[in-house]
């Protein structure tokens, strides 16, 4: 069976921020935040019709500034958070007024206007409908001026959308949101101590252990934090040769963590043994900016790199299903020991499934769809969003 | 008258003659011839003469005259015949008279003799009578004498028996054991037979006691062992004759020998020199062992078998025991030797070991000759083979450590302050490669000793075949080459992440080393090995091509890693410089930033470093005014058209429009891509990495007007200097364009600097 061709969508602005709409489990929907210093920034809501292979988009204005990071609430479809630089015009005014201006990155929680969904579903080629895009409704600022620039905002995985963590310079701040998310208060915080100017580059809230763990990256180190005590629980020094760019938890296998960085490598860790990675991939020819486990089939790992490539790997050997999908689940009384009984099945080989070369600029973000586990989007700096599917052959191999 | 008598006598005589002739059945010779003639009745002299016929014939045939003549002739003849006859008779008469006289005399003599004979006969009768009488009287005494004589013999035997204990004792005292044993043997049967009689029993018991004592003494002597082989053999012989169980003797003999051999072995333990050790082992242990074997065989195996001993099949049993014994002793010895050989770790001088092994092996051949079918020599060969294998392993380890030491030296040389400039790279490489090659050669020379013609074990199949191909070629040479490649690769893997622990120059040098290996050295070394060892590839061996492939892979990996490390060093500089600056609030650029100059300097030095080891490589022709190229940042051309109508009010697309077009038509640039084995490719790789980093860092920042202008200046400066290093200057243009473009896009107040001003600043430095 022929694989469907990738679907490409072009944004007018440069963009780095991409997320799937976490709370949405039916429609395939991605949110993209743009980066423009001169124009009003936007959040593109991209809907993908899988059956007809058609993209439809809505645009919401994000006038606060250029978006560096975006994430969607796991509880409320309409709620999302961004990290943004103050609007350029504001900056410029500051710049003109006082020669002492700083570029500040803030975090904020927003609500999409209720009409967006029913409203303007327009095709990207039709500029006339886009005259009047709607604004996002600000719910609250994650006011962290005291703590420096926010690099990312993380929602509690599978939570009720009331707890977020923002990473700001060398602080990790745990916020409690009110029911309506209109107010945020810092409930606790952790600070990275050390020599020099330490700064979190990225972080991930672990879905395991009752969501009490946070993993962060700063420079070449990966640290784990216990959110109950806000103290460090492990630290993988020199996890990568150079800067660590992104992290992701294996959604189905405790303790397993993927990281990627400027040494072109993707590494898989068992945080119980931090001395060396379980596995290391070196397929990209430049920095790897983003790594994502598939939510359902964690052997599928997606990476995006500034060599303009997206690579989909099949890391069966370290996945939660090292012997493939178990068809004979019913026969076995104890599912946990499946692999014990299943020795007859040859373990599958780790492999690169596919390399996607539709991008022409650095790919800074990749994301699986929250609705369809076989579908993913990647975003390159030049504003090109590409939606791809896992090859059918592999899909059936995993399923059957 | 006398005449008549004579004729008469003669006629008589003739008759007598005829009668005698008749009697004896003889015919007179001569007469038989003319028998036919004599049959003629007309022959007057013939016996069948018939006067009638003759007369008739005469009358018929002869005339009267003739008859007359005949008649007168006849008369004449008769007359002469008569006279003859008379003479004869006379003569005979005389003879007869004398014969009568003789007979008469004889008659008298016989008479006398008869009387004497009568007398004799009487005497004889008397003698016979006497003789019979004597016989009759002597009969009784004769029988008695015969009996007495028998008793005498018996008595002498008995005397021997009775004297036996004493005699044996005496023999014992005089140590004339063999005499004692032979005496005892003579008496033994008798004693055995008559043992039911108390007296004999006593003797027997005495003898037994004495013989036991003797046996004891013999055993003692045997046990003492100080005695000569001949004595020993005599001992054994006697003991065997004494019905001592042969098996026990064998055991005793061997136990005795064992203690001596073990003493020898103990003497070996504290030795220093392997050759001396083996020498002593050979001289003491192996010689003794041979001696033991020889004398043992003499004693038990090759002895002429006599009597009841033959039936016991001693040789078979003895040989079995000997084999077991020799094997056991040899095992002890071998374990000692092996331990000693294993201690021989120093790889300096192989000849000593080889000589020692040779001697060891040679001496064991003696055992083989003495004891055919023994496992000892083959075990010895095994040990030699193992030692050779071990040796190869040691040489490999030595080579490896030598290689690592050399690398350490090279590293130190690289780290040391450059006295003679940076030209050290090439020299270091050549000296490193030469010293490694020399080391390999010397090791091969050492190993070759194992296969020298004068070494006894060199013609063993192992040393002819497997040792050369599997041992030397595979285990030593190929493994070493593999080790070189592998250790080189390890430089890329284990410590490579930080890039700090391995100096980049070393990576470069190793890469060149591996490449040289690929192009020539491996082939050379393997050919040399094959020639020196006459390797016959019976078993599959690693192909030269495979090794070359490995070496090339290692070289490629090292070079890639070098590029990565160097690129990283420059990248880090650029990244820090971009990240740490506040680009919004920067001042108007007056100079090229120092870091850019540093980048150019570093690139230049890398270029020099690489050029020492790698060839120039090809580059695309470049325009004469490369350094003068202007950046079309925000120049009008970029704003001419809009790519697509958009709802956004302004030309958001424009900034990267051109670069998009460019990307559409140009090949994708792989930043960390494999490089070729030439200088240009290497430096290009490094520059690519650096500039790409620059680009990514710029994209993460926000710039003010002067920030942009500073980047413009910096990029122009880089452009001026970097184009010469790369294979395709367009690449540099493209990346720098991209940097400036991105900067412009990230700029709050994009007001580019005039190209002329930029050039002035850049030229000012």
């Amino acid at each position: 069976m022929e694989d469907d061709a990738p679907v490409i969508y072009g944004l007018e602005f440069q963009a780095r921020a991409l997320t799937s709409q976490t709370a949405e489990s039916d429609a395939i929907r991605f949110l993209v935040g743009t980066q423009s210093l001169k124009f009003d920034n936007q959040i593109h809501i991209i809907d993908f019709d899988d059956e007809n292979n058609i993209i439809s988009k809505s645009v919401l204005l994000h006038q606060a500034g250029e978006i560096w990071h975006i994430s969607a609430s796991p509880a409320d479809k309409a709620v999302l958070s961004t990290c943004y630089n103050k609007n350029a015009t504001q900056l410029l005014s500051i710049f003109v007024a006082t020669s002492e201006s700083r570029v500040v990155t803030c975090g904020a929680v927003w609500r999409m206007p209720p009409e967006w969904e029913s409203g303007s579903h327009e095709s990207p080629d039709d500029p006339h409908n886009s005259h009047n895009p709607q604004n996002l409704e600000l719910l609250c600022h994650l006011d962290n001026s005291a703590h420096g620039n926010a690099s990312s905002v993380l929602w509690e995985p599978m939570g009720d959308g009331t707890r977020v963590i923002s990473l700001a310079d060398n602080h990790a701040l745990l916020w409690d949101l009110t029911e309506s998310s209109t107010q945020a208060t810092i409930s606790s915080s952790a600070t990275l101590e050390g020599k020099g100017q330490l700064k979190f580059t990225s972080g991930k809230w672990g879905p395991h252990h009752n969501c009490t763990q946070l993993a962060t990256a700063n420079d070449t180190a990966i640290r784990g934090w216990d959110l109950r005590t806000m103290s460090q629980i492990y630290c993988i020094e020199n996890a990568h040769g150079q800067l660590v760019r992104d992290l992701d938890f294996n959604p189905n296998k405790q303790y397993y963590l993927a990281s990627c960085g400027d040494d072109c490598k993707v590494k898989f860790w068992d945080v119980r043994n931090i001395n060396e990675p379980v596995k290391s991939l070196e397929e990209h020819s430049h920095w790897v900016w983003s790594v994502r486990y598939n939510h359902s089939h964690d052997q599928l790992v997606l990476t995006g790199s500034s060599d303009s490539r997206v690579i989909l790997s099949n890391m069966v050997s370290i996945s939660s299903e090292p012997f493939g999908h178990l068809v004979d689940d019913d026969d076995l009384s104890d599912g946990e020991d499946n692999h014990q009984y299943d020795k007859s099945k040859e373990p599958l080989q780790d492999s690169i499934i596919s390399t996607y070369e539709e991008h022409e600029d650095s790919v800074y973000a990749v994301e699986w769809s929250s609705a369809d586990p076989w579908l993913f989007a990647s975003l390159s700096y030049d504003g090109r969003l590409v939606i791809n599917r896992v090859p059918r052959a592999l899909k059936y191999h995993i399923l059957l | 008258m006398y005449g008549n008598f004579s004729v008469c006598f003669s006629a008589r005589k003739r008759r007598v003659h005829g009668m005698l002739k008749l009697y004896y059945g003889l015919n007179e010779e001569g007469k038989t011839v003319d028998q036919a003639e004599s049959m003629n009745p007309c022959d007057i002299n013939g016996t069948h003469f018939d006067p009638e016929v003759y007369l008739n014939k005469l009358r018929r045939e002869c005339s009267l005259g003739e008859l007359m003549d005949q008649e007168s002739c006849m008369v004449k003849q008769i007359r002469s015949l008569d006279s003859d006859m008379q003479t004869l008779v006379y003569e005979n008469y005389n003879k007869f008279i004398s014969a009568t006289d003789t007979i008469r005399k004889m008659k008298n003599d016989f008479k006398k003799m008869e009387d004497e004979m009568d007398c004799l006969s009487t005497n004889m009768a008397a003698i016979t009578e006497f003789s019979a009488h004597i016989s009759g009287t002597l009969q009784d005494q004769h029988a008695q004498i015969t009996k007495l004589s028998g008793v005498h013999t018996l008595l002498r035997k008995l005397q021997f028996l009775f004297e036996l204990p004493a005699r044996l004792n005496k023999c014992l005292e005089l140590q004339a054991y063999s005499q004692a044993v032979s005496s005892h043997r003579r008496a033994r049967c008798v004693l055995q037979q008559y043992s039911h009689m108390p007296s004999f029993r006593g003797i027997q018991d005495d003898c037994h006691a004495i013989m036991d004592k003797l046996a004891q003494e013999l055993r003692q002597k045997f046990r003492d062992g100080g005695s000569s082989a001949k004595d020993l053999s005599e001992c054994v012989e006697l003991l065997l004759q004494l019905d001592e169980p042969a098996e026990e003797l064998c055991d005793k003999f061997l136990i005795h020998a064992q203690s001596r051999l073990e003493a020898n072995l103990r003497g070996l333990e504290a030795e220093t020199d392997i050759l001396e050790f083996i020498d002593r082992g050979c001289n003491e242990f192996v010689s003794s062992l041979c001696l033991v074997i020889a004398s043992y065989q003499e004693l038990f195996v090759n002895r002429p078998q006599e009597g009841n001993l033959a039936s016991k099949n001693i040789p078979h049993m003895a040989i079995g025991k000997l084999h077991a014994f020799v094997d056991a002793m040899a095992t002890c010895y071998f374990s000692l030797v092996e331990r000693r050989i294993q201690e021989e770790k120093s790889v300096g001088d192989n000849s000593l070991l080889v000589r020692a092994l040779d001697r060891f092996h040679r001496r064991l051949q003696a055992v083989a000759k003495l004891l055919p079918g023994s496992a000892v020599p083959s075990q010895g060969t095994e040990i030699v083979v193992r030692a050779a294998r071990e040796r190869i392993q040691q040489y490999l380890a030595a080579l490896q450590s030598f290689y690592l030491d050399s690398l350490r030296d090279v590293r130190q040389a690289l780290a040391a302050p450059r006295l003679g400039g940076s030209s050290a790279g090439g020299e270091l490489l050549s000296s490193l490669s030469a010293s490694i090659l020399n080391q390999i050669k010397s090791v091969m020379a050492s190993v070759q000793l194992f296969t020298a013609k004068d070494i006894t074990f060199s013609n063993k199949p192992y040393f002819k075949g497997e040792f050369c191909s599997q041992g030397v070629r595979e285990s030593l040479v190929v493994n070493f080459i593999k080790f070189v490649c592998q250790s080189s690769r390890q430089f890329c893997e284990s410590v490579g992440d930080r890039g700090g622990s391995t100096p980049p120059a070393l990576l470069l040098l190793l890469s060149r080393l591996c490449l040289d290996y690929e192009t020539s050295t491996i082939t050379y070394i393997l050919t040399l090995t094959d020639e020196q060892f006459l390797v016959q590839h019976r078993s599959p061996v690693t192909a030269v091509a495979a090794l070359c492939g490995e070496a090339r892979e290692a070289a490629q990996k090292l070079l890639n890693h070098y590029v990565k490390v160097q690129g990283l060093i420059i990248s880090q500089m650029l990244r820090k410089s971009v990240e740490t600056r506040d680009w919004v609030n920067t001042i108007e650029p007056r100079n090229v930033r120092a870091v850019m100059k540093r980048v150019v300097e570093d690139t230049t030095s890398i270029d020099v470093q690489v050029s020492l080891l790698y060839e120039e490589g090809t580059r695309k022709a470049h325009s004469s005014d490369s350094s003068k190229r202007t950046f079309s940042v925000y120049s009008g051309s970029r704003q001419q058209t809009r790519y697509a109508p958009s709802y956004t009010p302004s030309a958001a697309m424009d900034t990267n429009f051109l670069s998009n077009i460019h990307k559409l038509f140009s090949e994708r640039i792989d930043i960390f891509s494999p490089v070729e084995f030439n200088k240009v490719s290497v430096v290009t790789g490094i520059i690519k990495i650096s500039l790409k980093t620059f680009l990514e860092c710029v994209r993460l920042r926000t710039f003010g007007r002067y920030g942009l202008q500073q980047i413009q200046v910096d990029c122009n400066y880089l452009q001026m200097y970097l184009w010469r290093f790369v294979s395709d200057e367009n690449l540099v243009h493209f990346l720098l364009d991209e940097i400036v473009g991105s900067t412009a896009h990230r700029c709050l107040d994009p007001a580019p600097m005039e190209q002329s001003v930029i050039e002035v600043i850049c030229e000012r430095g």
Side-chain angles (χ1 to χ4, degrees), chain B residues 457-476:
Chain B
F457 52 75
S458 67
N459 59 357
K460 293 272 169 205
Y462 170 77
F463 282 95
K464 282 201 156 158
E466 203 195 336
F467 178 76
C468 294
S469 69
Q470 290 302 315
V472 177
R473 191 182 190 273
E474 292 295 299
S475 302
L476 191 61

Side-chain angles (χ1 to χ4, degrees), chain A residues 110-382:
Chain A
W110 311 82
R111 175 178 288 283
M112 300 184 219
E115 316 82 79
W116 70 268
E117 206 163 4
S118 56
S120 50
H121 273 220
E122 64 235 280
S123 83
D125 292 332
D126 184 5
H128 304 291
N129 282 349
S130 58
H131 284 315
N132 200 12
Q134 290 172 303
N135 270 315
L136 280 170
E137 178 193 337
L138 177 67
L139 289 178
C140 62
H141 280 292
L142 300 176
D143 190 3
N144 55 3
S145 52
H147 301 294
N149 294 317
S151 66
S152 52
V153 175
L154 314 168
W155 292 86
E156 183 180 29
M158 296 166 287
D160 54 3
T162 58
R163 302 214 303 164
V164 293
I165 290 172
S166 71
L167 299 176
D169 279 350
N170 59 340
H171 301 287
L173 308 170
L174 179 60
W175 303 80
D176 276 336
L177 302 178
T178 55
E179 193 82 25
S180 55
S181 304
T182 47
Q183 239 186 332
T185 49
I186 295 178
S187 66
S188 57
S189 73
T191 307
L192 186 58
E193 309 280 355
K195 281 186 285 184
Q197 268 197 321
L198 296 175
K199 199 176 153 192
F200 287 122
T201 49
S202 73
K204 205 82 186 181
W205 194 329
H208 304 296
H209 310 14
N210 212 11
C211 301
T212 54
Q213 287 197 6
L214 171 73
T216 61
N218 64 295
D219 200 19
T220 61
I222 298 172
R223 287 160 204 276
W225 304 84
D226 187 338
L227 294 176
R228 293 166 296 191
T229 58
M230 289 311 261
S231 57
Q232 184 178 312
I233 45 178
Y234 58 84
C235 173
I236 309 173
E237 298 280 3
N238 295 327
H240 284 264
Q242 300 171 51
L243 219 63
V244 180
R245 290 281 171 189
D246 197 16
L247 297 166
D248 199 19
F249 279 96
N250 186 321
N252 303 326
K253 200 173 181 184
Q254 292 190 89
Y255 307 112
Y256 274 70
L257 186 68
S259 66
C260 59
D262 286 2
D263 56 0
C264 310
K265 287 179 182 161
V266 180
K267 292 186 179 180
F268 298 89
W269 303 89
D270 181 341
V271 297
R272 292 166 296 186
N273 173 21
I274 58 170
N275 294 321
E276 53 184 339
V278 181
K279 202 100 189 173
S280 178
L281 288 181
E282 190 171 3
E283 299 295 336
H284 286 289
S285 70
H286 201 243
W287 305 351
V288 186
W289 284 77
S290 181
V291 59
R292 287 289 179 272
Y293 276 110
N294 189 301
H295 305 303
S296 325
H297 306 285
D298 53 283
Q299 61 267 49
L300 302 177
V301 177
L302 202 58
T303 51
S305 153
S306 41
D307 65 0
S308 317
R309 291 192 181 95
V310 175
I311 292 181
L312 177 61
S313 317
N314 191 6
M315 303 304 293
V316 174
S317 68
I318 52 169
S319 76
S320 58
E321 297 178 344
F323 300 98
H325 185 71
L326 297 162
V327 266
D328 48 354
D329 272 354
D330 302 345
D331 305 338
L332 300 164
S333 54
D334 192 355
E336 281 177 350
D337 295 328
N338 277 350
H339 57 279
Q340 301 254 324
Y341 302 106
D342 218 24
K343 291 285 186 206
S344 58
K345 226 171 177 179
E346 194 64 20
L348 299 165
Q349 291 297 309
D350 294 344
S351 58
I352 300 302
I353 299 163
S354 188
T355 303
Y356 301 93
E357 309 209 346
E358 284 83 19
H359 292 286
E360 276 153 17
D361 204 335
S362 305
V363 178
Y364 293 135
V366 290
E367 200 71 62
W368 291 95
S369 163
S370 55
D372 182 349
W374 309 107
L375 196 124
F376 58 89
S378 53
L379 179 68
S380 57
Y381 190 59
D382 56 5

